[in-house]
Amino acid sequence: MPGTLFINGRFNQLTGLPVGADAIYSENGYIRTIDSTDELRLQLTGKDYTTVDWQGNWVLPGLVDSHMHLSMHGMKLSMLDFSDVRSREEMLHLIRERVNITPAGEWILGLNWNENAFTPAVPPLRRELDEITTDHPIYLTRTCFHAYLANSEAFRRAGVTAATPDPQSGAYGRDEAGELNGWVYEEANMAFAAVQPEPDYSTRKDAIRRACEDGLRLGLTGAHTEDLRFLGSIDTMRRIYRELREEGLNFRSHQLIYYTHLDEAEALGVRAGDGDEWMRIGAAKIFSDGAIGGRTALLRQPYSDAPATKGLAIHPQERLNEITARARSLGFPIAVHAIGDGAADMTLSAMEAYPLQGISHLPDRFIHAQVLDASLLERMTRLQMIADIQPRFVASDFPWVMDRVGPERTQYLYAWKKMLDAGVVCAGGSDAPIEPLNPLLGLHAAVTRRRPDMAQPVEGYLPQERLSIHEAVQLFTTGSAAAVAEQDHRGSIAVGKAADFTVLDRDLYENADTLHQAQVRMTVVNGMVGFQN
């Protein structure tokens, strides 16, 4: 297979490349030489190779999203999306439009509503959804993916009535009279998921394809994802990604294994680290709590704006320890969703009770880590796990999140800078479809701690936690590589490392305020062009 000579690129000096270098030669997916265009052309005289012209655009190591859901992002592209909705009335209008073009009896599904963006901050409830239709079941996923809204027909199909007790790891919202108000929390969702139409194989595959193509368009060379709850089985997952690769899709994926599939992994002989350069098996995924927006994230002390609750633990400590032990017995690290400080304590306790050392070369992963304190951060540092953080949450969750947690907990709220300074290796992700997949929005949030549309000058929320642009870029490059123990051959531009590049129309390091406006000109994966603009 001929090599590829990439010419006329520009590199910021913080990438560590030699002064004067503007060209890279790759073979078999790896960087072989870095030098000037003229010098490399001279060195390659008589050799068979192809040439790709970067046309003076700026080249970064390939950006990788360390935590998202490819399957659900792909489905989002064909569902009702309330991401930009700013009122209850607008949300109801979109639902009504979809009902009008949907045959009676079919489900109306939507996602990414966020009542905190509404004025007033109140979502529609069951009765308002019933006023739109009683012929269609309506089921709408909140932006956090830990709370949902349903109409009466959806409750009927799920077999849930006012007399139905709450499941152990979830709840049904109720009004003052004890009637269902439409809210569904955490694993109470399972009753509704069980009665929705099962997507067929082609639907699942198309969702993955759309998401990967969207990632390439946005400059991502790969993603760490958890798809099994949508794809249904490890065999189906492996088949879909193998077929997409055979069909020419150049996108890397690292697959977390939802813990309920550990028995299947054992039966198939699947272990963490299995796979190839395009798809590899990662840690066992576990949830320990919910989200702050729906007040299901587990806090040590009650919510400041709802003193009657501390949130929800998805599993009691004993069960969380049992799942961790089971993962260890099969050679898996764990990747635990933990947002509140109560969930952080439980997660770290499970990791401490069942150490990873000697079991896998892949690290444990602490996902989100939004509410911490000094003692929790010290334990994280000692365990040498990876923190999967989502900088874009700062742009979406502030300022209302401070009302939820109160002033006494803000010192370690979304404390990315404190984590890095303490020596915790952090990887950057979007948690798409909860947040936009665009990594440039994550970079902007990491360095500004604010939304792009906020008037200038604004120093951002809790500005002491802002990252430098270089630190932010490292979240999506060296950090994502370290999260899967691939820092020796991915995450930076160097001879011997993978030829993965994100090519932009500007130098991100020049202006933090406008870096999110950069345009992706090319995405190169394994030395092959996956997207070109």
Side-chain angles (χ1 to χ4, degrees), residues 175-339:
D175 61 22
E176 293 180 356
E179 294 296 319
L180 297 168
N181 66 8
W183 282 81
V184 179
Y185 298 97
E186 298 299 342
E187 293 192 0
N189 164 62
M190 302 303 289
F192 297 84
V195 295
Q196 291 175 27
E198 188 77 12
D200 60 18
Y201 181 82
S202 63
T203 299
R204 292 183 170 105
K205 182 177 175 180
D206 286 346
I208 298 295
R209 184 198 308 276
R210 285 195 300 269
C212 293
E213 289 174 345
D214 199 38
L216 290 167
R217 178 184 66 84
L218 294 168
L220 292 170
T221 60
H224 306 172
T225 179
E226 188 268 291
D227 292 324
L228 279 178
R229 284 175 293 163
F230 176 77
L231 298 181
S233 74
I234 294 173
D235 266 343
T236 297
M237 177 187 74
R238 294 195 296 191
R239 177 186 168 192
I240 284 174
Y241 281 94
R242 181 181 67 252
E243 289 178 356
L244 290 175
R245 175 69 204 115
E246 291 170 351
E247 292 165 14
L249 183 67
N250 299 328
F251 192 82
R252 302 188 194 276
S253 71
H254 187 89
Q255 300 285 337
L256 301 184
I257 301 299
Y258 193 54
Y259 79 96
T260 58
H261 290 266
L262 286 174
D263 288 347
E264 182 190 3
E266 181 180 29
L268 294 172
V270 171
R271 296 176 66 90
D274 287 354
D276 59 23
E277 59 190 344
W278 294 104
M279 191 200 79
R280 200 167 293 280
I281 302 298
K285 171 72 180 294
I286 310 169
F287 284 88
S288 64
D289 71 345
I292 295 175
R295 298 187 185 87
T296 56
L298 182 65
L299 302 179
R300 283 171 158 169
Q301 301 299 322
Y303 280 80
S304 292
D305 61 352
T309 184
K310 294 181 181 179
L312 289 171
I314 301 299
H315 307 285
Q317 186 70 63
E318 182 179 3
R319 176 59 179 151
L320 186 58
N321 287 0
E322 289 175 355
I323 298 171
T324 303
R326 172 67 171 149
R328 301 297 197 228
S329 72
L330 298 178
F332 281 87
I334 58 174
V336 187
H337 166 116
I339 286 181

Side-chain angles (χ1 to χ4, degrees), residues 343-378:
D345 183 25
M346 294 179 66
T347 297
L348 295 172
S349 294
M351 291 177 176
E352 290 162 345
Y354 296 92
L356 179 63
Q357 285 77 9
I359 293 173
S360 173
H361 71 286
L362 299 178
D364 282 337
R365 303 174 69 158
F366 192 122
I367 302 171
H368 304 313
Q370 288 167 228
V371 185
L372 299 172
D373 61 28
S375 65
L376 292 169
L377 182 54
E378 181 182 354

